[in-house]
Amino acid sequence: MARDFSTVGVVGLGTMGAGIVEVFARNGIDVVAVEISEPALERGRATLAGSTDRAVAKGKLAAADRDALHERVHFAVGLDALHSVDLVIEAVPEHLDLKQRIFAELDRVCRPETILATNTSSLSVTEISVATSRPNQVIGIHFFNPAPVMKLVEVVRTVVTSPEVVADVEALCARLGKVDVTINDRAGFIANALLFGYLNHAVGMFEAHYATREDIDAAMKLGCGLPMGPLALMDLIGLDTAYEILDTMYRRGGRDRRHAPVPLLKQMVTAGLLGRKSGRGFYTYERPGSPVVVPDEATPPATDGGLADGARAIAKVGVVGSGTMATGIIEVFAKAGYEVVSVTRGMEKSAKVCEAVKTSLNKGVVRGKLTEADRDGALGRISWSATLDHLADVDLVVEAVVEELSVKKALFASLDEICKPGVVLATTTSSLPVIDVAMATHRPADVVGLHFFNPAPVMPLVEVVRTIRTSPEATATARAVCATLGKTGVVCGDRSGFIVNALLFPYLNDAVKMLEASYSTADDIDHAMKLGCGYPMGPFELLDVVGLDVSLAIQRELYLELREPGFAPAPLLEHLVTAGYLGRKTRRGFRDHSHR
């Protein structure tokens, strides 16, 4: 039988501590809430009151339940108030010496059978536990912010934590309505170990002026369905907190260079640019603590929808290719009012593409997304061809043929001869260097990457890739076209993976390494990222959907170009691909899909 916790103590009533108090009190457990001073105690009391009042205003909590909740909380200054509780959770700032002092004092104050827990997100639970005479009763209980809302709790056992203590805490998490994942004590646990490498990488991209903060954030929200972009998330977490977590993970986690905080992060913390809480971080906020972003000197100027920055007028578009991407891109342009010339290798392929576009447009009509007149108008704007010569009078060409450099270079050399001067030539490559394609022409200034995401009619993001030879006019034209299509165009340099894949796939690779090290299960890692970080899919769900072979190819490209040791493909990923376990398409990847 699991132990019954009737009274718990919470030490530290900042945002996390006050949230943890609320979680326990909401679930009928008496709480002793402790701070270091009366002013700090009052701030904690106000934080709790504000949170519960907001819940009542939103209809998430009855007023009577709120009042009962507050009656269960006893506020006190000093650790002596915790002498008779069954469990204590510490939620003070992430400084090892501070936590060790508190645990030594708790060891003296609390009853011998009391479980002592830390909410640390990055420090060693083992190092905290040795400050006590009962390390077997010390455990990590890592809640996520905001604690009353977030479903995930990471239960962190050390090598000496007793199995009974682990079982009791797991049962308590279930009573609180939380999903727990139980793991060993290692830097970053699951969620932070996977999240902060990605966040640090995004800061590095921004520091290198590879893309703007707005474009990096838009790319990850629109391209991956994440609830927040990485730089906005850093501002929410607090840049000082993020720095501490990264620095601890770097020192404790084998000195992986990808966890070494990007220099810009330290500079911003030193300058007091801590994110939302200070009113300024990567973005500027209307006041400290406010979530409302206000324009600053780095905010891009608003466009009036006209042809700004020398963008060229585009009326007629050529699309070369006959695959899924080409089909989707033809539909997108035709629906947006452009005249489209579809060019494939042979009329048989043209007929197939034509049929696929018609089927997709008809589905749009059936679903009420499109009128019959809109469908007929879109189809009327498309002409079908099997010869590149029909692209002689278009204003923009979008190439969507096979991902082979030799094929693309030969095609661009032909387009160079056929197309009139001033035409923007775009490649949809997701992995090849755009400059290699551009240099197959005598007009590299007119060549850009236009990386649509699949399915093109649905996905709102397009990565606009400029090479070191691309003219500002060609970039502006590509961005203006994206806006006309109703897409968000994000501009980045010609580097492997562009924004989305360069940030996404190392994170997926890290998850595979975590599984490979037997640190956690695929299910627990997926739970951690979905419930702890709000990701729409866990990393192993996503890998099985994308295809393990595709994922491995992208990861190899990133590793070859950036030569970052941490980007080396996980051996487990290579072994699964070699064994033919490629994900959903072969009914077996990280999971068995044969019965689904």
Side-chain angles (χ1 to χ4, degrees), residues 540-548 582-584 589-591 593:
F540 298 105
E541 283 179 87
L542 184 54
L543 282 159
D544 277 359
V545 168
V546 170
L548 274 57
L582 309 182
R584 284 182 176 268
F590 285 98
R591 292 189 176 86
H593 301 279

Side-chain angles (χ1 to χ4, degrees), residues 8-34 43-62 65-75 89 91 143-150 175-178:
V8 301
V10 177
V11 181
L13 303 179
T15 308
M16 270 317 298
I20 294 167
V21 169
E22 183 178 336
V23 169
F24 283 113
R26 267 186 186 232
N27 287 278
I29 298 172
D30 291 331
V31 185
V32 180
V34 171
R43 284 195 295 273
R45 199 192 297 266
T47 302
L48 178 63
S51 175
T52 53
D53 288 349
R54 280 194 300 276
V56 170
K58 289 176 179 171
K60 301 278 178 73
L61 191 66
D65 291 338
R66 172 196 58 196
D67 298 342
L69 183 160
H70 283 284
E71 282 176 19
R72 291 188 198 103
V73 184
H74 170 68
F75 290 91
I89 297 188
F143 288 84
F144 286 73
N145 195 16
V149 176
M150 299 299 276
R175 179 179 168 186
L176 298 175
K178 302 294 186 186

Side-chain angles (χ1 to χ4, degrees), residues 12 174 218 229 265-266 290 456:
L265 200 52
K266 181 69 179 287
S290 168

Side-chain angles (χ1 to χ4, degrees), residues 333-568:
F333 275 103
K335 282 198 297 198
Y338 289 96
E339 294 290 322
V340 182
V341 181
S342 161
V343 179
T344 62
R345 289 167 59 186
M347 290 314 292
E348 195 178 318
K349 284 202 163 141
S350 272
K352 276 187 180 169
V353 175
C354 177
E355 204 50 48
V357 171
K358 279 181 182 169
T359 301
S360 181
L361 289 169
N362 283 332
K363 277 184 187 167
V365 173
V366 170
R367 289 174 182 159
K369 300 275 178 74
L370 212 59
T371 66
E372 290 189 12
D374 288 340
R375 173 198 62 196
D376 297 342
L379 284 169
R381 284 189 282 275
I382 308 169
S383 55
W384 308 95
S385 169
T387 170
L388 292 174
D389 291 337
H390 288 140
L391 300 175
D393 64 340
V394 300
D395 307 307
L396 164 70
V397 179
V398 181
E399 163 275 309
V401 301
V402 66
E403 282 282 274
E404 282 181 30
L405 190 56
S406 58
V407 175
K408 290 185 189 282
K409 285 170 77 168
L411 172 60
F412 271 72
S414 300
L415 293 174
D416 190 29
E417 290 178 13
I418 292 164
C419 295
K420 64 190 181 187
V423 173
V424 174
L425 304 177
T427 172
T428 59
T429 184
S430 60
S431 60
L432 299 172
V434 177
I435 190 65
D436 282 3
V437 177
M439 295 311 289
T441 74
H442 294 96
R443 48 171 111 183
D446 293 330
V447 178
V448 297
L450 272 183
H451 179 218
F452 287 82
F453 287 73
N454 197 15
V458 176
M459 294 296 279
L461 184 72
V462 180
E463 288 176 319
V464 176
V465 186
R466 56 169 185 238
T467 75
I468 52 173
R469 295 289 296 268
T470 305
S471 70
E473 295 77 21
T475 305
T477 304
R479 199 156 197 174
V481 165
C482 291
T484 311
L485 295 175
K487 307 283 187 193
T488 298
V490 297
V491 178
C492 59
D494 181 22
R495 209 171 73 182
S496 185
F498 311 138
I499 298 173
V500 173
N501 285 354
L503 290 178
L504 175 66
F505 281 89
Y507 145 74
L508 296 175
N509 196 50
D510 285 347
V512 179
K513 289 179 181 174
M514 191 177 272
L515 178 68
E516 190 172 49
S518 302
Y519 179 63
S520 190
T521 65
D523 287 348
D524 277 357
I525 294 169
D526 278 357
H527 277 316
M529 298 316 291
K530 284 158 62 176
L531 301 177
C533 301
Y535 282 27
M537 298 176 89
F540 298 105
E541 283 179 87
L542 184 54
L543 282 159
D544 277 359
V545 168
V546 170
L548 274 57
D549 50 343
V550 174
S551 304
L552 178 59
I554 292 170
Q555 193 59 36
R556 279 178 175 156
E557 288 285 340
L558 289 169
Y559 179 52
L560 280 171
E561 180 162 326
L562 302 174
R563 306 297 169 98
E564 171 60 67
F567 284 177

